[in-house]
Amino acid sequence: MRELRHDQNQARVCLLIGVILSLLVVAAKIGTNFLGWTGRKDLLTRLDERSNDWYGQIENASGPSQGELSAARSIVILYVTEEAINDPDRLNGFPFPRAHFARLVRVLSRAGAKVVVLDFMFYDQSRFNRPGTRSDDESLEKAANASTNVSLAASYSLEAGAGLVRILPTLPGVKDLDGKVGFVDQKEDPDRVFRKIDLYAFAPWKRESPHFPSLELDALCKYLGLSRSQLAWNREGKRLSLGSREIPLENHRLRIRYLYPRDDRQYFAIDRETYNYMDPSIPEDELVKSLLDDGRFTGKIVLVGLGGGQVGSSTRVQTMSQMADLGSERDIKLTPFGLMPGAEVHAQALHTILAGRFLRAAPDLFVFAVILLYGFFLGFAFPRASPLLAFLGIVWLVCAHMTMAFAAYRYLGYCSGVAWPLLGLVLCYLSEFTYLSFVTYKEKKLVQNLFEGYLSPEVVASLKDEKVRRELQLSGKREKVTIFYSDIRGFTTLSERETPEAVFNLLNEYFQVMSDVARKYRPYMDKFIGDCIMAVFSIPQVRPDDARLAVLMAIEMQEEIDRLQERWAIEGKPTFTVGMGINTGEVIAGIVGSDYKKDYTVIGDNVNLAARLYTQARGRQILVSESTNSEIQDLIQTIPLEPIYVKGKEERIQVFEVVGVREAWKGGIQQLREEYLKRLK
């Protein structure tokens, strides 16, 4: 019961550690959510974002569904290539005359495009205006007025007092200009990656102010035939209603679910013939007819922007300043799939909404519950498993969590992340491992302190093994052992005749000789009681042949005592003889004592019988019980003696005197001893 309570205490402490650390991780997560609300990201949140990027890349490896392909085919990206930009003769150099953009709007509208999105800023007056006129600007204004499906890029700023200030294109001749623009100002994450976009802008300190739609949202309204009055914003920034569509948001922002191929295929229709659509030398009617015939723009959203070069996941930037240069000069964005033209980022956002493939952050309560569940589970299971099994369990749990997080990402659209739950898991594992290691160290020291004075160093070292300690059961265990006692005959007379100092020195020399012999046979040296020695075989570790080893040790001890007495006689010191008793049987082995003093010993009826045997033995005599004799008779020659009465027993007990090793073994007694000792090692 004591051992059971000890294990239960460890389990309770581990469970408490798991729960407390999980609560601390939850508190830290709540605190770092504030950083997210203020626009800053902590390290773990960044790791979560990276893991979501990785899930997106794995998801894209399997290719899109038919529904996703259908939504992708409703978007056409029309690139203004570097070839067109670098040809100053054909299109008059970049920035192009606005008459070329006007022609492009007319061609695309007549070719059946449902929405034409121009991802270009027209803030300054055209450099191609005739002196004193706005002729070039007016050409684009006229084309925009003639088309109801054009979306122009704009910008905004937030100014204290004024609130949301819109910066519109310098095209005052466009009718209802406010209804034909959307902002393109988008904030990347702290690591410069575009994962989310704002679909609308407003003054945070003045939420009743008018909302300003993004270029993507303006294009969607036109594509779906919705007016801006049909948009409904959730004040908490968690949802946007777009007609019958519910768009989940994260703090007013849409998380883009990128659709990106890993090979040369393109899911979006890519057109790089802007060169021809803008070129005034090609007859417009003829061009429109050919486009209507192949239907490449019919009923689709056409995004016109810079790009079309070799950018993608294989393109890498070395520094953030290089990224900034690329972004400003070529409208290139850094995405989870590498570099991507800005027009394609717009297309990815549009596709996310049209395909209904939304991503949303997992509810905080769910993340908190997972963290607490892991802490509770680890606190419960860890102390009940071996260190190797616990480590393998942690590895399995990490892999299982990442697999489940990917499944939630792919099939439910939840970005649950891995950093916070795994942080709680690792912290709990390391803390509980440290605690149990400390407890194990204390147990080892307890075992070492208990046994190092009674056992050989090799046996003490073996007791540091956890499995051996568990089998040891210090609280008390029934074991079959062999008990050895020895006692000096005539010690009382010797003590009276000699000085205490002389007796003290004689005893120490005698005990040293006896201990040297005992160390070879590795019994548990239980105690020295005056002139008596008590040793036990098969504790704390059970081993075979303990009865034979005990008798062989007793024979060798008698031989060494004879040599010691001969030397003392020559030196003029008093001599004595020793009687020994040996019994084999079941006892209770364990720790006995108080909190101030503990001893590992054996108790039981068989211990008492061994004590009776050594008191009956004469000097130089070794007496063994019937149980011991039955285990040694093939090796040791004994003779039966008269049965003796033992206190507490009604019947007399048969005893045997050890005569010596049998004739068959006499010639090889030393070899026999060495063989037994070798087996012990």
Side-chain angles (χ1 to χ4, degrees), residues 12-38:
R12 290 193 191 100
V13 173
C14 285
L15 186 60
L16 188 62
I17 290 173
V19 172
I20 290 177
L21 285 178
S22 298
L23 290 173
L24 290 176
V25 172
V26 167
K29 170 66 174 169
I30 294 173
T32 54
N33 281 349
F34 175 75
L35 295 178
W37 297 332
T38 57

Side-chain angles (χ1 to χ4, degrees), residues 504-517:
F504 183 83
N505 292 331
L506 288 173
L507 276 180
N508 276 336
E509 190 172 356
Y510 161 71
F511 284 145
Q512 184 63 52
V513 170
M514 299 286 275
S515 296
D516 288 341
V517 174

Side-chain angles (χ1 to χ4, degrees), residues 10 13-22 24-25 375 378-379 382-383 394 423-439:
Q10 291 184 20
V13 173
C14 285
L15 186 60
L16 188 62
I17 290 173
V19 172
I20 290 177
L21 285 178
S22 298
L24 290 176
V25 172
L378 200 60
F382 192 89
I394 286 294
L423 172 67
L425 197 64
V426 171
L427 281 179
C428 290
Y429 172 78
L430 293 178
S431 300
E432 290 169 17
F433 178 81
T434 302
Y435 164 71
L436 291 177
S437 297
F438 176 71
V439 170

Side-chain angles (χ1 to χ4, degrees), residues 57-71:
Q57 292 166 8
I58 297 175
E59 179 186 49
N60 274 269
S62 61
S65 65
Q66 284 301 118
E68 294 166 348
L69 276 177
S70 176

Side-chain angles (χ1 to χ4, degrees), residues 59 81 96 122 143 177 227 267 314 424 488 510 598 608 616 678:
E59 179 186 49
T81 62
F96 303 136
F122 300 108
L177 180 60
S227 66
Y267 299 137
S314 61
I488 298 175
Y510 161 71
K598 293 182 175 69
N608 298 332
Q616 293 291 326
K678 184 177 180 181

